[in-house]
């Protein structure tokens, strides 16, 4: 969620019971502003909080002029001092995907591989590296996975210019109540995967300036999003069931929207059994 | 350049320009053809479109008018959108006599229900308030919310206040002695807000008696069918040796897992629904399945092993498990009542009642956070059987002994071992962790102002269960999806192996037909045996000739 909209937004996502203490809220506003100044970001988003066993990580993302470019991610243990995280590589993501269990809360904690495929083991030992992953790498990979899988925006909120860069759509007035209840009005804010597979007939209806991302309609498994109207029907809240803890809110017919993650940072592999 | 005209009357040069006589006439094209070109261009712009009936000239004029009126910044960047808006505005007739029907959005109904919470009920005057002040069953939800908010846990203040008022409504309707906001469970379509309630003694509903009558009627039916099968002795069908395990009876209301009664509603303002008491079978099954709640209490729970009940029962079972696992209090707050119960009944079921300790001395927040032994569970844990107090299902009552004489007694499974759980008021340090994660994470709410910090505990076994303690105040709450944490993926139970249809014996086992040599050899052997038998029994009159059936 946008750093500027933090107080109002936290009220809107509090339906899940997770939020920030007054102390954290009070320190986040100036802290994120200073982040914007130090790193010369154009926008700063408060991404959320990953609960570890002994402590929590607070994550912020910074965006540059092209909003769809890879974002810089920072983490903090107390919302006061922030450290930049390295960009996520595919190798990091693959390694971290094998880890299970909670985060510890200590960024220098090292995980040992408990089960490795023989292929992976050979590959790793060839490199001469020991099979240990630091929690920091796991954090980077998890944030990347969550953003890729469930980071969403309403349709029309961003436009793609003919030059290829993406900006906020200043003409975006919010989705109507009818549109807000449909999954097809929300897009994944990452590189589109399914867009090329659409038939020509479907593509003809798309507007290339606003429909350049994948929508939520075809997410597998079906039903991995819950759409609810909260606060007497004035806020649309989408919760992901694949990554429990990710909450997206939007107030229809206004420009307020955003998503935040409050959870343990573990994927819900049991989802097909639970639906 | 020449030919600036046409000049206005007040400008110098007016009247000087004569067509054909200006010094630069050779260079400019014939004005007539230029005028023609302009007119052609304008006619082209005025051409109406075949599809929409608009023409470009008017559209451009409208667009420029709108831009000059509104003067947006960086108009050139949003020019396409402005164009779209102008075209769209075509369809809005301001002088239309038709008026849109005022749309009643569902949001208005919800707001109506919400407002109803804030209105005082009819006839409620100050007299009633005085009576209630003595007992105060209504919990101070806002105070609890304040302490949890210090840790970042909780709903928005609006929602908390709505829940506060909804609880007040519940208390005014039902005869409740103690009431507590238990928490919120999220669902797919709607969420559940749950209140934990204890009735006044003697005021419980009588619905439970009906349920027991139905169960006994069902058992009677099953036995009648068995007797019918015994009577058919002509073609004796193989009898089923399946004896269903005896149903473990649920605990009485007010004890064990059914100590509290739970009410749920989807949103504050909607009517509260009472959840049925939980049976051990439901708890045992709930441990094996993992399903999301939909938000509708009558939704079926489709799972394997099949869950005996619908979503209301599943919800109640999960609430019972969560309460048993995560309801904690600071040590010393509750103590056992002074009367010692019979510890030798049922093999030491343990004490199950506690009372508040009037001499409770609260520990400091630092002590509460540092060591887990300063907290205790004050809800009985649920045994594997599904009850809090173990019951031997094979202990037959008088009725059952009479009925058993008629049925064949199959082999009884071996005696069940009595299950014993941890006794009430065990400290948290005895809680098992999961792999290398402790069962609870303890933190103070703030490190910057330790003198006013609140001790907060989060459960790692049931993510979403929280507890706080500050001085003499403490409380528990749950916000989550209602599932236990397991680091391993959920593996559903496999279906049991298919039961054998009938016991295999020589009558029905297949053997291959004997070959011709074997038959002849058999006949020859039999003839010899017969001859030998006849020689021995020459004196006897009766010949026992048994015809053997050949297979």
């Amino acid at each position: 969620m946008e750093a500027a909209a933090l107080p109002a937004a936290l009220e809107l996502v509090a339906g899940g019971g997770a939020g920030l203490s007054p102390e954290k809220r009070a320190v986040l506003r100036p802290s994120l502003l200073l982040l914007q100044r130090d790193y010369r970001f154009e926008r700063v988003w408060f991404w959320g909080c990953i609960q570890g066993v002994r402590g929590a990580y607070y994550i912020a993302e910074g965006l540059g002029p092209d909003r769809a470019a890879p974002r810089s991610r920072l983490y903090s243990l107390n919302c006061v001092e922030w450290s930049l995280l390295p960009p996520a590589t595919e190798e990091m993501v693959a390694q971290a995907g094998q880890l299970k269990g909670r985060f510890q809360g200590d960024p220098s904690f090292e995980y040992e591989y408990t089960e490795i495929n023989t292929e992976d083991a050979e590959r790793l030992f060839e490199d001469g590296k020991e099979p240990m992953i630091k929690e920091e790498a796991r954090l980077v990979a998890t944030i990347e996975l969550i953003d890729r899988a469930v980071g969403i925006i309403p349709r029309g909120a961003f436009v793609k210019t003919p030059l290829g860069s993406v900006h906020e759509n200043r003409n975006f007035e919010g989705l109507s109540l009818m549109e807000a209840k449909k999954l097809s009005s929300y897009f994944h804010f990452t590189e589109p995967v399914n867009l090329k597979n659409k038939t020509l007939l479907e593509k003809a209806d798309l507007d290339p300036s606003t429909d350049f991302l994948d929508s939520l309609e075809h997410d597998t498994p079906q039903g991995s999003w819950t759409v609810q109207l909260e606060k007497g029907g004035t806020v649309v809240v989408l919760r992901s069931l694949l990554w429990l803890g990710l909450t997206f809110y939007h107030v229809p017919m206004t420009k307020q929207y955003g998503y935040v993650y409050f959870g343990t940072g573990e994927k819900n592999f049991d989802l097909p059994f639970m639906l | 350049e020449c030919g600036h005209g046409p000049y206005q009357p007040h400008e110098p040069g007016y009247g000087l320009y004569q067509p054909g006589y200006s010094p630069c006439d050779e260079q400019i094209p014939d004005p007539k053809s230029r005028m023609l070109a302009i007119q052609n261009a304008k006619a082209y712009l005025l051409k109406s479109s075949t599809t929409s009936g608009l023409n470009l000239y008017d559209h451009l004029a409208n667009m420029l008018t709108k831009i000059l009126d509104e003067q947006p910044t960086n108009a050139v960047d949003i020019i396409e959108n402005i164009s779209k808006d102008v075209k769209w505005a075509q369809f809005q007739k301001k002088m239309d006599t038709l008026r849109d029907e005022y749309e009643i959005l569902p949001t208005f109904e919800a707001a109506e229900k919400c407002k109803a919470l804030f209105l005082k009920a009819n006839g409620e005057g100050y007299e009633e308030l005085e009576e209630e002040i003595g007992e105060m069953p209504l919990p101070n939800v806002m105070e609890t919310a304040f302490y949890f908010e210090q840790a970042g846990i909780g709903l928005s203040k609006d929602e908390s206040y709505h829940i506060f008022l909804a609880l007040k409504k519940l208390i005014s309707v039902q005869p409740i002695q103690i009431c507590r906001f238990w928490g919120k469970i999220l669902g797919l379509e709607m969420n559940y807000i749950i209140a934990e309630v204890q009735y006044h003694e003697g005021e419980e509903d009588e619905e439970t008696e009906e349920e027991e009558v139905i169960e006994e009627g069902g058992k009677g039916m099953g036995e009648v069918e068995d007797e019918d099968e015994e009577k058919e002795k002509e073609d004796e069908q193989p009898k089923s040796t399946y004896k269903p395990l005896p149903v473990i009876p649920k605990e009485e209301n007010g004890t064990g897992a059914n100590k509290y009664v739970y009410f749920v509603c989807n949103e504050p303002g909607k009517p509260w629904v009472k959840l049925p008491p939980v049976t051990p079978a439901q708890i045992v099954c709930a441990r094996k399945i993992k399903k999301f709640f939909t938000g509708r209490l009558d939704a079926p729970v489709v799972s394997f092993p099949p869950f005996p009940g619908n979503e209301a029962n599943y919800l109640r079972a999960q609430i019972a498990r969560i309460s048993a696992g995560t309801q904690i209090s600071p040590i010393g707050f509750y103590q056992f009542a002074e009367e010692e119960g019979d510890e030798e009944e049922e093999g030491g079921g343990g004490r199950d009642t506690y009372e508040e300790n009037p001499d409770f001395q609260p520990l400091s927040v630092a002590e509460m956070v540092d060591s887990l032994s300063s907290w205790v569970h004050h809800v009985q844990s649920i045994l594997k059987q599904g009850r809090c107090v173990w019951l031997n299902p094979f202990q037959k009552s008088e009725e059952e002994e009479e009925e058993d004489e008629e049925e064949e007694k199959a082999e009884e499974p071996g005696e069940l071992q009595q299950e014993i759980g941890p006794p009430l008021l065990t400290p948290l340090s005895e809680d098992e962790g999961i792999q290398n994660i402790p069962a609870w994470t303890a933190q103070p709410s703030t490190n910057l102002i330790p003198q006013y910090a609140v001790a907060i505990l989060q459960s790692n076994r049931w993510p979403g269960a929280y507890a706080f303690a500050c001085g003499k105040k403490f409380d528990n709450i749950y916000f989550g999806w209602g599932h236990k944490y397991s680091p391993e993926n959920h593996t559903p139970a496999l279906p049991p192996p298919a039961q054998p249809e009938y016991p295999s014996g020589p009558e029905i086992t297949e053997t291959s037909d004997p070959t011709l040599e074997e038959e002849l050899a058999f006949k020859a052997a039999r003839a010899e045996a017969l001859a030998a038998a006849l020689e021995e029994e020459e004196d006897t009159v009766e010949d026992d000739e048994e015809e053997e059936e050949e297979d």
Side-chain angles (χ1 to χ4, degrees):
Chain A
M1 58 179 65
E2 276 276 345
L6 204 57
L10 284 175
E11 285 278 314
L12 296 173
V13 296
L20 293 176
S21 63
E23 184 188 322
K24 294 285 182 293
R25 264 186 247 196
V27 77
L28 262 183
R29 213 173 48 82
S31 178
L32 292 178
L33 263 181
L34 288 175
L35 261 186
Q36 194 175 354
R37 173 202 72 180
D38 291 338
Y39 288 89
R40 313 253 196 275
F41 291 137
E42 286 204 7
R43 290 271 188 277
V44 177
W45 282 5
F46 177 62
W47 184 89
C49 167
I50 292 190
Q51 266 308 325
V53 173
R54 289 195 289 268
Y57 296 106
Y58 298 91
I59 317 285
E61 285 184 337
L63 287 83
D66 181 6
R67 305 286 189 255
R71 294 164 240 172
S72 328
R73 297 184 173 114
L74 303 102
Y75 80 93
S76 162
L77 298 166
N78 53 8
C79 283
V80 182
E81 285 138 14
W82 298 85
S83 327
L84 190 62
L85 284 170
T89 60
E90 285 305 322
E91 194 190 319
M92 237 194 258
V93 170
Q95 279 180 4
Q98 297 176 356
L99 291 174
K100 285 188 195 177
R102 299 278 302 270
F103 278 84
Q104 291 296 323
D106 173 17
S108 52
F109 181 82
E110 299 203 336
Y111 290 93
E112 295 176 1
Y113 272 117
T114 46
E115 299 167 7
I116 332 171
N117 298 337
T118 44
E119 299 174 359
D120 287 349
E122 286 174 13
R123 190 162 39 94
L124 285 168
F125 286 127
E126 275 174 14
D127 290 348
K129 286 187 245 172
E130 289 181 352
M132 305 266 271
I133 321 180
K134 287 182 108 175
E135 177 142 304
E136 216 180 57
R138 187 181 175 199
L139 187 64
V140 172
T142 308
I143 302 175
E144 175 70 22
L145 280 174
I146 293 180
D147 264 345
R148 239 188 251 173
V150 289
I152 58 177
I153 52 165
R155 177 172 180 268
F158 286 87
V159 274
K160 193 166 189 172
T161 61
L163 302 171
S165 63
V166 172
H167 297 288
E168 279 104 357
N169 181 2
R170 298 210 337 253
N171 241 26
F172 177 60
E173 299 255 324
L175 301 172
S176 69
L177 199 58
M178 288 309 302
E179 285 175 5
K181 289 195 225 167
K182 292 192 243 170
L183 279 181
S184 56
S185 332
Y186 302 99
F187 290 152
H188 289 279
F189 197 39
T190 72
E191 289 299 317
V193 175
N194 288 334
L195 214 53
K196 301 167 265 198
N197 301 341
K198 286 190 182 247
T199 63
L200 267 182
L201 204 60
E202 287 173 344
K203 275 198 236 182
D205 286 330
L206 299 178
D207 180 1
S209 62
T210 51
D211 294 315
F212 56 98
L213 299 166
D214 288 329
S215 89
L216 293 192
E217 259 183 320
H218 303 293
D219 269 6
T220 49
Q222 266 220 348
S224 60
W225 288 93
T226 72
V227 183
Q228 286 179 10
L229 289 174
E230 292 200 359
K231 288 198 181 302
T234 50
V235 183
V236 170
V237 174
L238 268 75
R239 292 203 176 91
S240 166
L241 300 176
L242 190 59
W243 292 93
L244 288 174
L246 184 106
T247 316
F248 170 87
Y249 74 93
H250 175 53
V251 183
M253 301 313 288
T254 69
K255 289 183 84 153
Q256 298 173 37
Y257 66 87
Y259 71 84
V260 72
Y261 181 85
F262 282 111
T264 59
E266 288 169 297
K267 194 169 182 179
N268 182 19
F269 287 104
D270 302 331
L271 181 59
F273 291 118
M274 294 167 78
L275 286 174
Chain B
E1 281 225 71
C2 314
H4 298 261
Y7 287 100
Q8 301 298 320
H10 64 272
E11 290 176 36
Y14 179 68
L16 292 180
Y17 179 68
Q18 300 292 333
Y21 294 101
S22 158
C24 316
D25 262 348
E26 294 86 23
Q27 293 166 20
I28 55 174
D30 187 11
K32 272 217 181 100
S33 64
R34 193 149 155 260
M35 287 300 295
L36 195 60
I38 292 176
Q39 282 175 358
N40 281 343
K42 191 167 171 189
Y44 169 71
L45 290 179
L46 278 170
K47 207 159 43 164
S48 308
S49 149
T50 45
T51 46
S52 60
L54 306 167
N55 63 55
L56 191 53
Y57 191 87
D58 288 335
H59 181 67
L60 282 173
N62 291 339
M63 230 169 55
L64 288 174
T65 317
K66 182 175 160 117
I67 291 178
L68 289 172
D69 282 339
E70 294 180 0
Q71 306 252 346
T73 52
N74 291 346
V76 64
D77 290 334
I78 51 175
I79 190 80
E80 292 86 5
N81 283 334
I82 295 176
S83 167
K84 260 198 229 172
D85 284 344
V86 168
K87 283 190 189 163
W88 188 65
Q90 279 275 322
F91 293 98
Q92 280 187 330
K93 301 266 183 228
K94 288 178 190 150
M95 303 293 284
D96 211 344
T97 49
L98 286 178
R99 275 192 251 171
D100 282 332
E101 183 187 303
Y102 190 63
E103 201 183 325
I104 305 285
L105 297 168
T107 50
F108 298 144
E109 289 176 23
E112 191 73 34
K113 281 203 189 108
C114 215
K115 181 177 158 188
L117 277 177
F118 288 87
L119 297 172
K120 275 210 159 129
N122 293 336
E124 190 181 303
Y126 290 105
E127 301 167 2
E128 289 194 19
L129 281 178
E130 284 179 17
E131 283 179 25
E132 287 181 9
I133 283 176
E135 288 202 343
M136 283 304 271
L138 183 66
N140 193 347
V141 170
M142 297 309 289
E143 190 183 8
T144 314
F146 165 77
Y147 283 112
F148 276 119
E149 194 195 350
Q150 300 302 306
I153 301 154
L155 310 169
S156 63
K157 290 220 175 60
D158 286 356
E159 200 169 348
S160 298
Y161 208 86
H162 289 149
I163 292 174
F164 201 5
L165 289 172
L167 283 177
K168 176 170 169 226
K169 215 173 175 188
L170 174 67
I171 288 175
S172 65
V173 172
Q174 302 266 350
I176 290 173
Q177 187 179 22
I178 304 175
C179 174
R180 197 174 78 85
F181 174 49
W182 186 90
K184 182 174 180 183
I185 288 189
L186 302 170
L188 297 181
E189 294 165 29
M190 291 183 282
N191 306 323
Y192 290 117
I193 295 178
I194 301 158
E196 183 185 78
V197 141
Q198 225 176 3
Y199 282 118
H200 287 303
E201 293 177 7
E203 293 242 35
E204 292 173 20
D205 291 24
E206 299 182 353
E207 294 177 12
T208 49
E209 290 186 10
E210 292 179 16
E211 289 180 24
E212 291 179 17
V213 167
I214 294 172
E215 281 182 21
E216 286 182 13
K219 268 200 276 182
M221 290 281 288
E223 288 164 5
V224 165
E225 287 176 12
D226 282 342
E227 290 177 16
D228 281 342
E229 280 187 21
E230 284 188 59
K231 284 172 189 167
E232 290 182 8
K233 294 229 169 168
E234 293 184 4
D235 252 346
E236 216 181 82
Q237 296 182 359
K239 278 211 74 176
S240 160
T241 49
Y242 171 67
K243 269 214 156 190
L245 295 172
V247 173
I248 301 173
K250 69 174 195 267
E251 296 177 282
E252 290 293 314
N253 290 348
T255 63
N258 286 323
K259 183 165 185 188
Y260 297 102
V261 178
Y262 292 92
F263 283 86
V264 297
C265 74
N266 286 123
E267 265 193 24
K270 293 207 177 147
W272 290 92
V273 178
K274 181 172 158 184
L275 287 181
V278 67
T279 66
Q282 288 167 357
I283 292 193
V284 167
C285 190
R287 282 182 174 141
K288 298 187 190 154
I289 64 176
K290 197 170 177 187
K291 301 283 276 177
F292 279 122
F293 294 98
T294 60
R296 288 169 289 124
L297 284 173
D298 51 358
V301 178
V302 180
S303 65
F304 185 79
F307 187 78
N310 57 11
E311 180 155 316
N313 304 101
Y314 184 42
L315 180 64
R316 179 66 181 83
Q318 290 292 94
I319 293 176
R321 290 173 68 199
I322 294 175
S323 293
T326 62
Q327 301 280 321
I328 58 180
S329 56
I331 193 166
F333 192 90
Y334 289 118
Q335 66 184 10
F336 288 119
E338 288 197 357
E339 304 171 23
E340 296 253 332
D342 300 359
E343 286 200 17
E344 298 189 1
E345 256 187 37
E346 299 285 322
R351 310 175 182 121
D352 58 355
T353 52
Y354 51 81
E355 60 176 23
E356 278 188 35
N357 179 359
D359 305 322
F360 171 56
Q361 295 298 326
L363 300 169
S364 73
V365 168
E367 285 175 1
M368 301 295 295
V369 167
D370 280 337
S371 109
L372 284 180
S373 49
S374 44
W375 298 80
V376 297
H377 286 277
H378 62 260
V379 173
Q380 271 182 314
S381 60
I382 302 183
L383 305 167
K384 264 184 73 173
Q385 197 185 38
R387 296 170 51 107
C388 292
V389 173
W390 191 79
L391 182 76
N392 186 351
F394 293 110
Q395 252 180 17
K396 296 192 174 74
S397 60
E398 290 183 4
E399 295 179 19
E400 292 184 10
E401 282 185 5
E402 286 176 16
E403 293 164 353
D404 273 339
E405 290 175 8
E406 300 180 15
E407 292 182 18
E408 295 180 1
K409 290 205 175 162
E411 298 173 357
E412 277 188 21
E415 291 262 329
L416 289 179
Q417 289 256 322
Q418 182 186 14
E419 298 167 21
I420 303 178
L424 205 56
L425 299 189
T426 31
L428 258 55
S429 38
E430 313 264 337
D431 275 359
E432 298 174 0
I434 307 179
Q435 294 184 350
N436 52 354
I437 306 170
W440 294 87
T441 300
Q443 283 171 344
S445 62
T446 163
N447 289 320
L448 297 174
I449 313 178
Q451 53 268 52
Y452 291 111
V454 176
I456 304 279
L457 250 68
Q458 304 175 15
S459 171
N460 293 328
R461 279 197 299 178
W462 291 96
Y466 304 100
F468 85 87
C470 183
K472 285 206 173 182
K473 298 199 205 296
F474 83 96
D475 205 347
N476 301 278
I477 209 154
Y478 183 84
F479 293 113
W481 296 90
H483 298 115
K484 194 168 189 177
Y485 173 71
S486 74
E488 307 302 324
N489 295 342
H490 168 72
T491 39
L494 292 174
Q499 293 171 356
E501 285 179 30
Y502 32 75
S504 50
E507 312 90 62
I508 54 170
T509 37
E510 290 186 3
T511 51
S512 45
D513 279 344
T515 62
L516 189 56
E517 292 85 9
E518 284 178 13
E519 267 196 42
L520 292 174
F522 182 69
K523 272 194 180 164
R526 204 166 53 127
E528 281 183 17
L530 209 53
L534 279 174
E535 288 180 7
E536 287 181 12
E537 296 176 1
E538 277 183 330
D539 295 335
T540 57
V541 180
E542 291 174 355
D543 285 341
D544 291 339
E545 273 191 352
E546 290 178 4
E547 282 184 323
E548 290 173 341
E549 289 177 352
E550 288 179 20
D551 287 339

